[in-house]
């Protein structure tokens, strides 16, 4: 008599807990179930971070320093890299951080030189992790308005550069029988991103390349973790307090938390991880598991979102769905 009641109460409690986690969580279920970063995954390992002169890359570098990693930081801006190096030296000692200036749009020959220097650092032990984090700026504009120059630059920095670097470094990793690529993709690499079509295309390209690469080389010790963050709070994130939409603040995951979850995902060997609050996380689930509903939703809000972005409003607001139609 009692058993069905107990079973159904447990069931209801489970549903309530999961829904609560889904509504308030800042990542996908698998990622959040993993708990903390495994320190031993990074202790004394060589980790090469691109785009480490600011934003999420800088925060990743600092967190890796506290985890005892040997760090290579890359970007174009040397003075910013020097500043980051100085700050990391305070955590980890100056002999455990190196700067490699790198322009990802500079072509295969100059990337090759940088790769050769990377494998020679720290007495030539080799690179254990590459965090492909650098990306070209992503101003919001409609697909029709994207200038040719920005199209080329986005694909060069976000796609061709990281693939070249990977291809050039892989032989070294295969010789050691291990290597791990952590790829900063985006929610825009999983769902349509109205107003960011080319950026979205570049992130879908990364996902396709790196998941394929892993399927080819997994049994030879090559790991890939594709990380797809939604809106993240960085110094370059739009400041909603100055927008017309008073009191409506985009809820963004902090760059510290984004970096932490990225390292959780990598250290637990996850193949893909999503980092975001609602509603973006829910849209990712919809598009992944119920694409016809997800695409229907995106088609409904897309045009309006581009307009709101131009007014520097909240592009993640529920109002997009219920507001006035755009012509
Ligand atoms: N912030 C978000 O809301 C968000 C959301 C989802 C995904 N993401 C992804 O997370 C990653 C980091 O984002 P973020 O917001 O921290 O970026 P960010 O603040 O714009 O920093 C971009 C980094 O990339 C470097 N970079 C740009 N062009 C380069 C080039 N040609 N060669 C080499 N390095 C270059 C920049 O350094 P230099 O200018 O010194 O070269 C900088 O360190 C990106 O892949 C981004 O797509 C971010
Ligand atoms: C590098 O960053 C500094 C400080 O943010 C800036 O003043 C300088 O113009 C940048 N250098 C280049 C080459 O972009």
């Amino acid at each position: 008599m009692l058993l069905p009641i107990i079973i159904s109460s447990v069931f209801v409690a489970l549903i309530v807990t999961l829904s609560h986690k889904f509504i308030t969580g800042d990542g996908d279920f698998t990622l959040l179930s993993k708990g903390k970063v495994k320190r031993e995954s990074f202790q004394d390992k060589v980790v090469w971070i691109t785009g480490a002169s600011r934003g999420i890359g800088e925060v990743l570098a600092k967190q890796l320093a506290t985890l005892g990693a040997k760090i290579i930081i890359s970007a174009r801006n040397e003075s910013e890299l020097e500043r980051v190096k100085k700050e990391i030296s305070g955590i980890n000692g100056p002999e455990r951080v190196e700067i490699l200036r790198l322009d990802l749009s500079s072509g295969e020959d100059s990337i090759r030189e940088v790769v050769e220097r990377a494998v020679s650092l720290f007495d030539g032990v080799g690179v254990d992790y590459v965090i492909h984090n650098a990306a070209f700026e992503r101003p919001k504009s409609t697909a029709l308005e994207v200038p040719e120059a920005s199209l080329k630059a986005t694909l060069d920095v976000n796609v061709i550069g990281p693939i070249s670097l990977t291809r050039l470094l892989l032989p070294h990793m295969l010789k050691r029988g291990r290597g791990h690529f952590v790829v900063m993709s985006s929610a825009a690499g999983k769902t349509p991103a109205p107003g960011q079509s080319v950026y979205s295309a570049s992130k879908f390209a990364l996902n396709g390349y790196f998941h394929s690469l892993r399927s080819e080389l997994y049994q030879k010790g090559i790991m890939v973790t594709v990380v797809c963050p939604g809106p993240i709070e960085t110094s370059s994130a739009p400041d909603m307090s100055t927008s017309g939409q008073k009191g409506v603040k985009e809820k963004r995951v902090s760059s510290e938390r984004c970096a932490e979850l990225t390292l959780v995902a990598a250290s637990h060997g996850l193949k893909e991880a999503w980092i975001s609050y609602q509603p973006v996380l829910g849209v990712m689930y919809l598009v992944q598991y119920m694409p016809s509903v997800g695409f229907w939703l995106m088609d409904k809000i897309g045009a309006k979102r581009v307009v709101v972005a131009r007014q520097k409003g909240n592009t993640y607001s529920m109002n997009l769905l219920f507001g006035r139609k755009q012509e």
Side-chain angles (χ1 to χ4, degrees):
M1 218 56 240
L2 215 57
L3 196 63
I5 299 177
I6 294 176
I7 289 175
S8 48
S9 326
V10 167
F11 189 69
V12 168
L14 188 73
I15 296 288
V16 169
T17 314
L18 283 179
S19 318
H20 181 259
K21 218 172 178 176
F22 184 63
I23 292 164
T24 60
D26 53 6
D28 68 80
F29 285 121
T30 312
L31 174 59
L32 295 186
S33 75
K34 294 298 175 191
K36 292 204 166 88
V37 179
K38 282 197 211 159
R39 195 187 168 91
E40 64 274 21
S41 301
F42 298 114
Q43 177 100 49
D44 296 321
K45 297 293 191 308
V46 175
V47 186
W48 183 4
I49 307 157
T50 69
S53 62
R54 60 171 183 269
I56 300 166
E58 176 181 351
V59 179
L60 275 167
K62 287 177 183 161
Q63 291 188 5
L64 282 161
T66 62
L67 291 167
K70 296 171 183 161
I71 296 159
I72 305 172
I73 50 176
S74 280
R76 290 165 306 173
N77 192 316
E78 206 127 33
S79 60
E80 286 297 301
L81 287 171
E82 286 294 349
R83 173 186 63 77
V84 174
K85 174 173 174 164
K86 218 174 184 178
E87 291 176 29
I88 294 179
S89 300
I91 305 171
N92 216 2
E95 72 290 347
R96 290 171 82 88
V97 49
E98 298 277 359
I99 290 176
L100 276 185
R101 201 187 157 276
L102 165 67
D103 182 349
L104 282 163
S105 64
S106 61
E108 195 183 19
D109 289 340
S110 61
I111 295 178
R112 178 179 288 113
E113 273 174 42
V114 181
V115 167
E116 293 308 321
R117 284 179 52 206
V119 297
S120 74
L121 291 174
F122 304 114
D123 302 319
V125 288
V127 176
D128 295 292
Y129 292 85
V130 176
I131 305 188
H132 283 302
N133 167 79
F136 189 69
E137 62 194 71
R138 40 190 183 283
K140 294 210 169 80
S141 69
T142 67
L144 277 171
E145 290 165 342
V146 176
E148 184 79 4
S150 138
L151 166 63
K152 292 221 164 94
T154 304
L155 294 179
D156 276 347
V157 177
N158 296 11
V159 185
I160 312 275
I163 292 179
S164 295
L165 191 161
T166 301
R167 274 161 30 88
L168 292 162
L169 183 61
L170 265 170
H172 297 281
M173 287 179 160
L174 288 169
K175 223 182 277 166
R176 305 169 74 210
R178 68 165 197 271
H180 192 149
F181 295 95
V182 180
V183 183
M184 274 297 174
S185 180
S186 171
K190 297 298 293 182
T191 74
Q196 297 180 298
S197 54
V198 173
Y199 176 70
S200 172
S202 75
K203 295 302 189 178
F204 268 84
L206 277 181
N207 293 8
Y209 179 82
F210 279 97
H211 282 307
S212 302
L213 181 84
R214 188 188 54 240
S215 72
E216 289 182 15
L217 296 177
Y218 189 74
Q219 289 172 8
K220 296 189 168 156
I222 303 301
M223 274 295 309
V224 168
T225 300
V226 173
V227 180
C228 302
I232 302 300
E233 188 71 59
T234 63
S235 44
S236 48
D239 178 8
M240 288 300 130
S241 57
T242 59
S243 83
Q245 303 194 329
K246 256 203 159 153
V248 190
K249 194 162 170 15
E250 250 174 51
K251 208 173 157 210
R252 289 172 171 265
V253 176
S254 72
S255 31
E256 284 72 20
R257 177 66 174 161
C258 177
E260 182 191 354
L261 286 175
T262 297
L263 299 180
V264 170
S267 69
H268 287 269
L270 295 185
K271 298 176 185 186
E272 186 166 303
W274 302 347
I275 301 170
S276 181
Y277 289 129
Q278 298 300 355
V280 174
L281 187 63
V283 172
M284 294 173 82
Y285 270 101
L286 259 188
V287 172
Q288 175 97 33
Y289 295 108
M290 281 191 257
S292 39
V293 180
F295 291 140
W296 168 84
L297 178 76
M298 292 312 294
D299 290 351
K300 233 172 143 51
I301 65 178
K304 182 128 195 237
R305 186 176 192 255
V306 176
V307 175
V308 170
R310 200 166 282 144
Q311 296 160 348
K312 304 223 177 306
N314 182 356
T315 49
Y316 303 100
S317 158
M318 284 296 179
N319 291 334
L320 288 181
L321 193 52
F322 305 115
R324 174 170 64 80
K325 254 210 174 87
Q326 298 299 311
E327 67 280 11

